[in-house]
Amino acid sequence: MPIEGTFAGVGKLPDGFVIEIGDHGGMVPSGQKAGILGTAFSKREPQHIEANKVAARKLVSEVRANYGSKMAEMTESSLASHLKNGEPLTAGQVKKVLGSADQRIAEITRHGFTPEEAAVALKHGLSLDQMMQYRDATMPICEATLVRDFVPFNQVGWSKSLSGGALGAPQKLDYQPPGDTRKTYVFKRESPEGLGGAEHLLGIPKSEARLGARNIATGKLDARLGFGLTPRTEMARHNGELGMVMEFVSGKAGFIAVTERTPATEGRIARYKELEREINNPDTPREERVELSKQLAALHVEKEGEVYFHVQDVDKNVQHDMSDPGIRKAFVNLQLLDALTAQVDRHRGNFIVQRDAGGGFAGLKAIDNDQCFGPQVRDFSGRLNNQPATLPPVVDTDMVRAFEGVTPQTLRADLAGLLPTAEIDAAVERLAAIKAHINTLVQTGRVIRPDQWGSQDVTDMLTPRGAPRDIEEAEQTTYIGREMAVQMKYPGKLVQP
């Protein structure tokens, strides 16, 4: 893997050529520049000695940038006389230094890593055990997937399971990286188990699950578009495991679990009393008593005095105000981002609507952004899982400018190292389809100003009418239509945000 930068062309030079750094900052071999470069070292002229030291320091600097501190230390040791005394640096010596680095990369690739992964690992001092964690989790090693701030040293306090302590359950914990404030994050262990049913929808084999990489890739494209929809997302190590952390977001999703207490039925009460008697019977074996206690808990019955209640969590739909211009704009941004990433898991629990102190709309955040990309989704010819069947019927000028700023070249650069080539190619095709759709909206007068999301024309385009067919169509066309359709179909299951 040839080094990039100043010494990239050194392999073409004869070993005996003396190397200096020219005025333009590039490598200059002896004989190609008059004066200093042609002067023999034995003359010991100060300007020659300093020029040789500059060349040696430049080589050490670029080895450090490309291969890491350990290789830089080895280079400093081998070039001690060049750095201290100004001995000339020859092309042969540069080749030897770079050859040693390439040999280390070759040793790493024998364990199944790509040369690019080996170079990143070498540069940042990853141990083989740490690299194997990445491979076992199907996670690529690149600059964007390195564990940086989110390490045990920066954790504050204890973690808390978000799923009752189940193995591999998400953990809620606080971090305070250097120079940052203390914030709450959610840690999810990297799993090689794949993406569930989304594997078949997206065409992603288990060997390419890359859950954390997909979250990070979504965040990079969100940043490129300037939508501000994704929380901070990075790789982390927690309790010895490799995983992803996402900044915890306060607010309400499309539905929430509400605890309901209703009078227990006669049958449930009778079973509760029966189990209670058996558990309190001193003749009941201990093992049987444990099993009976589990059955009692499963009844979800609570007793208050002589009254028995059935207590259960029931999903309720949150009545977000879909006439709010800010909400409308944010949900259309989200639909466009999800179209670009081929996100198929944006169900109503995978977004968070944020409110300010006065209850007004303050922002929209997309969470759990891993079931996305994949080589099979290249256009928007049909509905996939939670993805709308079409692109939004209206956009604003901010959105038009945002996609004008995304090109196939910038898209490939943002996703490089995170996703396989076939998935990046598919994303480029989706970008072209979105741009074509936006161009159609421009031609048909469906591009509005950012301050027009509350207008009647936009309301007519986004709001389902009362007929069941209209509601069903709106539910499958936009995220806004889906929220409004749910509110119209289940008026008895609504709660205020």
Side-chain angles (χ1 to χ4, degrees):
M1 182 178 175
I3 192 171
E4 298 178 356
T6 304
F7 299 93
V10 72
K12 299 177 182 179
L13 299 177
D15 288 352
F17 271 45
V18 175
I19 302 299
E20 271 199 8
I21 307 303
D23 295 336
H24 61 293
M27 178 182 66
V28 182
S30 176
Q32 292 189 13
K33 182 178 180 183
I36 295 175
L37 291 176
T39 304
F41 176 72
S42 59
K43 292 184 178 180
R44 308 291 297 177
E45 296 180 11
Q47 66 269 34
H48 302 136
I49 294 174
E50 183 57 31
N52 294 332
K53 289 181 179 180
V54 168
R57 288 198 294 266
K58 184 68 172 178
L59 179 58
V60 172
S61 174
E62 296 212 0
V63 167
R64 178 173 284 106
N66 286 273
Y67 300 104
S69 297
K70 289 186 177 180
M71 285 304 305
E73 290 171 5
M74 293 171 60
T75 302
E76 286 177 333
S77 177
S78 66
L79 299 181
S81 60
H82 302 73
L83 293 165
K84 183 177 180 180
N85 303 321
E87 182 179 328
L89 180 66
T90 66
Q93 289 164 331
V94 174
K95 293 175 190 177
K96 184 176 180 181
V97 167
L98 301 184
S100 298
D102 286 339
Q103 185 177 355
R104 285 286 295 118
I105 287 179
E107 292 171 2
I108 295 173
T109 58
R110 283 200 288 269
H111 293 279
F113 299 97
T114 67
E116 292 77 16
E117 288 180 312
V120 172
L122 193 61
K123 175 180 176 180
H124 294 279
L126 269 65
S127 67
L128 183 58
D129 286 344
Q130 289 173 326
M131 295 182 69
M132 296 301 286
Q133 271 192 317
Y134 277 84
R135 192 173 71 179
D136 292 345
T138 73
M139 173 63 74
I141 300 173
C142 64
E143 292 290 339
T145 60
L146 291 174
V147 177
R148 300 181 189 273
D149 290 337
F150 298 97
V151 293
F153 181 78
N154 293 328
Q155 182 180 335
V156 182
W158 300 96
S159 61
K160 178 183 178 182
S161 174
L162 294 180
S163 299
L167 182 64
Q171 302 288 313
K172 186 177 178 182
L173 66 169
D174 286 6
Y175 283 102
Q176 186 170 358
D180 200 353
T181 57
R182 176 175 176 173
K183 295 177 183 176
T184 301
Y185 294 83
V186 175
F187 172 87
K188 291 178 70 174
R189 177 177 64 87
E190 276 301 306
S191 171
E193 297 304 316
L195 296 162
E199 293 174 2
H200 307 292
L201 293 173
L202 295 167
I204 300 172
K206 282 188 176 181
S207 60
E208 296 289 358
R210 306 186 181 207
L211 303 183
R214 296 178 191 282
N215 276 278
I216 292 169
T218 299
K220 287 174 77 71
L221 296 190
D222 176 39
R224 173 72 64 180
L225 290 164
F227 288 166
L229 292 165
T230 53
R232 181 180 180 181
T233 306
E234 293 187 26
M235 297 303 296
R237 278 197 178 84
H238 176 61
N239 289 340
E241 293 185 313
L242 181 69
M244 175 207 76
V245 288
M246 177 176 284
E247 187 173 344
F248 182 78
V249 180
S250 297
K252 295 287 178 64
F255 61 84
I256 58 174
V258 177
T259 301
E260 289 190 345
R261 295 167 60 85
T262 56
T265 62
E266 292 290 337
R268 194 175 291 269
I269 294 172
R271 180 58 177 159
Y272 181 91
K273 290 180 178 179
E274 178 186 354
L275 289 170
E276 196 172 43
R277 283 194 301 270
E278 288 296 322
I279 292 170
N280 294 328
N281 186 344
D283 295 329
T284 302
R286 182 179 180 280
E287 294 80 5
E288 186 177 337
R289 192 178 295 120
V290 170
E291 181 58 35
L292 292 171
S293 296
K294 292 179 182 178
Q295 295 179 30
L296 185 69
L299 286 174
H300 300 290
V301 170
E302 290 183 4
K303 181 181 178 183
E304 292 186 7
E306 297 301 319
V307 182
Y308 294 84
F309 292 95
H310 181 207
V311 181
Q312 59 181 339
D313 287 339
V314 179
D315 284 341
K316 294 282 189 177
N317 296 307
V318 180
Q319 193 172 10
H320 295 300
D321 181 8
M322 289 317 202
S323 67
D324 185 297
I327 286 185
R328 287 180 174 180
K329 179 182 175 73
F331 269 101
V332 172
N333 276 340
L334 180 58
Q335 187 174 346
L336 290 170
L337 175 65
D338 284 350
L340 182 58
T341 65
Q343 172 60 248
V344 297
D345 194 38
R346 188 67 64 212
H347 58 71
R348 301 181 59 250
N350 271 353
F351 63 79
I352 301 293
V353 176
Q354 299 172 299
R355 301 280 171 181
D356 58 26
F361 174 71
L364 179 70
K365 293 296 180 183
I367 61 173
D368 287 351
N369 301 307
D370 43 31
Q371 295 192 25
C372 55
F373 294 102
Q376 285 185 181
V377 185
R378 295 175 179 269
D379 56 30
F380 310 98
S381 56
R383 189 182 188 193
L384 285 177
N385 208 31
N386 293 292
Q387 188 183 65
T390 64
L391 292 169
V394 58
V395 298
D396 67 22
T397 53
D398 287 344
M399 299 167 190
V400 174
R401 281 193 295 270
F403 274 92
E404 286 175 347
V406 184
T407 67
Q409 292 75 24
T410 62
L411 188 65
R412 291 184 185 279
D414 287 337
L415 302 180
L418 290 167
L419 302 173
T421 301
E423 296 189 29
I424 297 176
D425 290 342
V428 170
E429 290 190 32
R430 290 193 300 273
L431 174 64
I434 293 171
K435 284 177 174 282
H437 176 75
I438 290 175
N439 186 53
T440 298
L441 296 181
V442 171
Q443 295 175 355
T444 56
R446 286 176 171 251
V447 176
I448 62 173
R449 298 192 313 271
D451 62 356
Q452 290 182 305
W453 283 103
S455 70
Q456 187 59 49
D457 287 343
V458 172
T459 299
D460 292 341
M461 284 186 273
L462 296 176
T463 304
R465 293 169 177 80
R469 181 176 178 181
D470 291 332
I471 295 174
E472 186 69 22
E473 181 181 350
E475 191 172 14
Q476 297 186 20
T477 304
T478 66
Y479 289 153
I480 296 171
R482 182 177 68 180
E483 291 305 301
M484 297 186 73
V486 166
Q487 293 177 18
M488 295 173 73
K489 288 165 68 175
Y490 308 107
K493 291 187 175 181
L494 296 176
V495 295
Q496 295 301 310

